[in-house]
Amino acid sequence: MVLFVDYNDVFRAPLAAAFYTQTYRKSAHSAGVYADEGAQLGDAVRPKLLDTHRARCLSASMLAKADAVWCVTAAIARHLTEEHPEAKQKIHALPDIPDPTGSGKEGYAQCEQHICRRIEEMMGCQYT
């Protein structure tokens, strides 16, 4: 199982997981380092892929179950490897995906395109 990680788990990581699962028919989940359990993105900017998503806070058991952990920023990947050195070999960073918070519907749509491109690029590597 692939795990995508963000700070809050309401847009970038869950969208990456949903796109990955939908496109490649492989299991993927998301979580947030500082997620507010059960939170969701506002209706005005929420893409259809995230209609039913609710934020989950990252746990050590999630990390243990994951075959690969993809973070939406290098800073998150560094944080996780420092906090969970036992999982270091499976923690990776996607090229930083800018946070669209406050950028309106257009900013979220651009971020969605950016995420989809990054996931497609990731499929060419050995960690999927």
Side-chain angles (χ1 to χ4, degrees), residues 77-95:
R78 280 191 304 275
H79 170 76
L80 288 184
T81 56
E82 289 171 5
E83 294 290 317
H84 303 276
E86 72 284 357
K88 181 179 180 177
Q89 296 302 318
K90 60 181 167 181
I91 297 172
H92 314 283
L94 291 166

Side-chain angles (χ1 to χ4, degrees), residues 40-99:
Q40 70 181 95
L41 194 61
D43 292 339
V45 292
R46 184 174 52 241
K48 189 162 185 66
L49 278 176
L50 299 182
D51 276 350
T52 61
H53 177 75
R54 299 292 183 270
R56 296 183 321 153
C57 196
L58 181 66
S59 69
S61 68
M62 287 179 193
L63 282 175
K65 291 176 186 174
D67 298 313
V69 179
W70 287 94
C71 302
V72 298
T73 69
I76 295 171
R78 280 191 304 275
H79 170 76
L80 288 184
T81 56
E82 289 171 5
E83 294 290 317
H84 303 276
E86 72 284 357
K88 181 179 180 177
Q89 296 302 318
K90 60 181 167 181
I91 297 172
H92 314 283
L94 291 166
D96 282 7
I97 298 171
D99 187 346

